[in-house]
Amino acid sequence: MKLTVLGCGRWGSFLASYHSVRNDVLLWGRKDSASFQVLKDNRKNEYLTLPEQLILEDDLQKALDWSDTIIISISAQQLRSFAKQIDAFDINHKTFILCMKGIEVETGKRLTEIMEEEIHQNIDTAVWVGPGHVQDFSAGIPNCMVVDSANPKVTERITSSLSSDLIRLYQGEDIIGTEVGAAAKNVVGIAAGLLDGAGLTSLKGALMARGAREVARLIHAMGGNELSAYGLCHLGDYEATLFSAHSHNRMFGEYFILGKSYGQLAEGASTVKALIKLGEQYHVDLPICKVVNDVLYHGMTAEQAVNILFSRSVKGEFAL
């Protein structure tokens, strides 16, 4: 099959490189992108070397015309403006797979909702989320991920055509839960980094349990299946996000609490603002999200954060 990947960061470049072994793949990047320039000049970046057969392209129309299956891997907060840009081209009947995790800060909208609002053509949209780091995949370490869509036939088509021994794809059945859970795990990842930086790593087990429960309540209130919070999109991604040295969100949290600048994209830092809005909109208490937000944006200290999180009133573990 033919496949287009839009976005040449570490995940986009890996997906393009990996799938070009069995498919005809084109990787698009912006002309002014430093990451794309490195790939053009060297055919490699800090994570991988591109196969010779992988096509590099900076013309968006050519990239969109190349195939009917298009992966988008960019910052979640840039999706709306990018969707408006690609809607100017003929993309009727194409399938877009969103390989990123986040919720729009200004609106609280999920990524598939943004595509629905900004693309005025007949397309299919899916999300591809779950655990796994480029560094591990590049080393041949396998993992499982989940694909979800409002259209089950689209989900089945993507999983059957792109699943492999290295990345086993499962079929999601709850687009709301899958998107919210995937975005929220980055916020819990920042919380884990805050604990690491404060020398309280032993509390991450409690954070995992309470974090999944918190996100499950929000998913349920939004009309999704709360069990999604315990699947690959959220709890299944905790090891890669709360413990891995490769996790940008965990490292961001650790650096932040230590007063250091991290310098890499941590989607959870934006997503937490959106989750706070959703919690207010759906009347769901999100104590972990509130603490992360207060630490990042309102000057709360690590000691204050821990006191708030772990000295709450006694109640049933699974109480709403």
Side-chain angles (χ1 to χ4, degrees), residues 158-202:
I158 294 170
T159 54
S160 62
S161 60
L162 295 180
S163 186
S164 68
D165 291 339
L166 183 65
I167 308 177
R168 182 174 181 178
L169 298 179
Y170 283 80
Q171 297 178 21
E173 299 176 340
D174 173 31
I175 188 62
I176 294 175
T178 297
E179 288 193 84
V180 173
K185 68 93 190 178
N186 284 331
V187 176
V188 182
I190 291 178
L194 297 175
L195 291 176
D196 286 336
L200 297 168
T201 299
S202 62

Side-chain angles (χ1 to χ4, degrees), residues 11 23-25 71-72 78-79 83 89 95 131 159 166 169 186 211 221 239 274 298 311-312 316 319:
W11 187 229
N23 305 282
D24 296 325
V25 181
I71 290 174
I72 300 180
Q78 296 175 357
L79 180 61
F89 302 97
T95 298
T159 54
L166 183 65
L169 298 179
N186 284 331
E239 189 281 331
H298 301 294
S311 63
R312 289 168 59 83

Side-chain angles (χ1 to χ4, degrees), residues 24-145:
D24 296 325
V25 181
L26 180 149
L27 174 62
W28 173 88
R30 299 184 188 276
K31 292 181 180 180
D32 59 356
S33 165
S35 298
F36 188 68
Q37 193 60 51
V38 168
L39 291 175
K40 283 184 64 177
D41 292 343
N42 306 303
R43 298 289 298 184
K44 65 180 181 180
N45 58 23
E46 61 182 302
Y47 304 108
L48 49 82
T49 298
L50 300 181
E52 292 184 5
Q53 67 270 22
L54 175 61
I55 299 171
L56 296 179
E57 180 60 70
D58 58 19
D59 186 306
L60 185 56
Q61 181 168 3
K62 290 180 180 179
L64 291 169
D65 289 344
W66 171 258
S67 74
D68 292 329
T69 303
I70 301 169
I71 290 174
I72 300 180
S73 181
I74 62 174
S75 168
Q77 301 306 317
Q78 296 175 357
L79 180 61
R80 187 176 294 276
S81 61
F82 190 56
K84 290 178 181 179
Q85 186 179 357
I86 63 178
D87 191 43
F89 302 97
D90 181 8
I91 54 174
N92 260 314
H93 308 297
K94 293 183 183 290
T95 298
F96 288 85
I97 308 170
L98 307 179
C99 289
M100 63 265 229
K101 306 160 185 175
I103 298 173
E104 191 173 49
V105 172
E106 291 80 5
T107 65
K109 294 293 180 68
R110 294 177 285 109
L111 302 185
T112 57
E113 291 179 305
I114 293 172
M115 292 290 285
E116 184 177 345
E117 290 178 357
E118 299 299 340
I119 302 296
H120 304 96
Q121 302 179 58
N122 183 20
I123 65 168
D124 290 312
T125 306
V127 296
W128 176 345
V129 298
H133 288 295
V134 169
Q135 295 91 329
D136 292 333
F137 285 136
S138 297
I141 302 172
N143 215 322
C144 303
M145 303 185 78

